[in-house]
Amino acid sequence: MRNSELKEKMLNLLGRLNAPRAVQGNNESMKNEAEFLCDKIIKLAPSKAYTDWFKDFEETLLSNLETRTWPTAKEISKAAKEIAPKRQEFKELPPEKYQPNDLKINANRINNGEPVAESYIMGQLADQMVRAGL
């Protein structure tokens, strides 16, 4: 459903513009070019809220076009990158702090028959692994 909606929206957009001279008059070439541009949009659009995204994308793309011909793949990518910082779904999330758990790591190594320090076999660390159920 998403792909067909995006394709329909892109074809409507292309219908408002003139086909490039290289493909004008050649229906097969026009069809191939339109499908290429639709595939480009489908790859760039987010999986959620793509309808709102396309509105922003269309406005940005049309305002950046220098002529009223179909956009190039580069112009499509540029417009998508330009709106990305404005869209909530593209904002970078703060990185999560990774805290390695030495007991789990070494318990997995023991279970896989890999070498570990002696303190994980006998001693206080071995006792901690047993108490943690590892």
Side-chain angles (χ1 to χ4, degrees):
M1 180 159 161
R2 171 189 172 272
N3 292 358
S4 60
E5 282 185 54
L6 287 168
K7 185 174 183 177
E8 182 182 337
K9 289 179 178 297
M10 187 60 182
L11 290 175
N12 288 338
L13 174 64
L14 294 178
R16 295 170 46 196
L17 302 170
N18 299 318
R21 286 186 190 160
V23 296
Q24 279 181 347
N26 185 341
N27 288 338
E28 189 65 28
S29 294
M30 285 178 65
K31 180 183 173 192
N32 290 339
E33 182 69 12
E35 286 179 5
F36 169 75
L37 296 175
C38 288
D39 288 342
K40 186 77 172 164
I41 290 297
I42 289 169
K43 289 176 185 171
L44 291 170
S47 56
K48 296 179 182 175
Y50 55 87
T51 306
D52 293 333
W53 174 88
F54 192 86
K55 288 177 188 173
D56 293 343
F57 167 78
E58 182 179 31
E59 183 180 322
T60 303
L61 180 67
L62 290 174
S63 65
N64 287 338
L65 288 178
E66 294 181 17
T67 62
R68 292 295 294 174
T69 59
W70 290 0
T72 62
K74 184 176 182 178
E75 289 171 324
I76 289 173
S77 295
K78 183 179 174 186
K81 285 180 186 173
E82 192 174 315
I83 66 168
K86 300 173 190 171
R87 305 286 305 169
Q88 183 64 34
E89 60 269 23
F90 292 112
K91 290 196 177 163
E92 194 172 313
L93 299 174
E96 293 182 23
K97 295 272 184 175
Y98 172 70
Q99 294 293 328
N101 185 331
D102 292 339
L103 295 178
K104 284 184 180 180
I105 292 171
N106 285 295
N108 287 334
R109 287 180 180 164
I110 291 169
N111 291 331
N112 293 332
E114 298 173 14
V116 295
E118 224 177 283
S119 58
Y120 288 102
I121 306 289
M122 299 182 308
Q124 192 176 21
L125 294 174
D127 292 340
Q128 289 178 10
M129 286 193 324
V130 170
R131 275 182 270 158
L134 300 172

